[in-house]
Amino acid sequence: DGGITQSPKYLFRKEGQNVTLSCEQNLNHDAMYWYRQDPGQGLRLIYYSQIVNDFQKGDIAEGYSVSREKKESFPLTVTSAQKNPTAFYLCASSIGPRGRKNTEAFFGQGTRLTVV
Amino acid sequence: ELKVEQNPLFLSMQEGKNYTIYCNYSTTSDRLYWYRQDPGKSLESLFVLLSNGAVKQEGRLMASLDTKARLSTLHITAAVHDLSATYFCAGENTGTASKLTFGTGTRLQVTL
């Protein structure tokens, strides 16, 4: 089955610790995205990548880092510099620039990160 | 910079009633998307609206797009409890990179 897989589903982080959220897709999509969702709110873009080895900051990139070494994978690291990391993190992918008629984004199941 | 606003933020409606959710956006957006989110779950794609005047329907939901007014609507016909969820619209920032900007969502509660 084609889709987007995020892991883990739940993650607990101690103060001052870096943690990495995994996102893998087998849809052959060029573009991948990371969004953050706080309770009762919409989605805010953290980072996005249109092609391998290239990524751009979104609206709230501070305290986060990403890499895009493979087309299928776009891991997100939440660093200790992110002061309020507790949130629901959603990874998405889309065809990207070559899909000019339709760049619908498909989402993974999300990772719920809690600081303890 | 594209901004997307939805209203209402919360909607409680009785089964069998009709209602409309509105999505306004601030600058040109090539496409408009509607998503559904159940509590604690991911987002499910509902509609992709690609051009001015586009109308799409799926069951009791119908979405439309007016690019001149920068307005999209999601109309609910004869609501049922299963439609209770949060609905998001998203506009697309085009240019060198394509990315979605989401509205704050409309939490729909359908009561018996």
Side-chain angles (χ1 to χ4, degrees), chain A residues 31-65:
Chain A
M32 297 186 75
Y33 313 84
W34 275 105
Y35 288 90
R36 169 181 172 142
Q37 186 178 32
D38 292 285
Q41 299 192 27
L43 279 69
R44 293 183 291 169
L45 183 64
I46 304 172
Y47 268 98
Y48 61 102
S49 169
Q50 299 287 294
I51 56 173
V52 175
N53 292 322
D54 186 56
F55 49 83
Q56 306 295 328
K57 292 182 178 180
D59 301 318
I60 55 166
E62 186 175 350
Y64 300 97
S65 66

Side-chain angles (χ1 to χ4, degrees), chain B residues 23 26 57 59-60 96:
Chain B
C23 176
S26 60
Q57 183 163 4
R60 301 174 188 274
T96 56

Side-chain angles (χ1 to χ4, degrees), chain A residues 29-30 49-55 68-73:
Chain A
H29 284 172
D30 288 323
S49 169
Q50 299 287 294
I51 56 173
V52 175
N53 292 322
D54 186 56
F55 49 83
R68 187 83 188 277
E69 297 176 3
K70 298 188 299 182
K71 185 176 185 177
E72 302 80 18
S73 179

Side-chain angles (χ1 to χ4, degrees), chain B residues 35-63:
Chain B
Y35 288 87
R36 168 182 171 143
Q37 185 180 37
D38 291 297
K41 304 292 185 182
S42 186
L43 273 70
E44 173 192 354
S45 179
L46 293 175
F47 299 108
V48 180
L49 303 169
L50 301 177
S51 60
N52 187 42
V55 177
K56 290 196 173 181
Q57 183 163 4
E58 181 74 32
R60 301 174 188 274
L61 301 177
M62 183 174 72

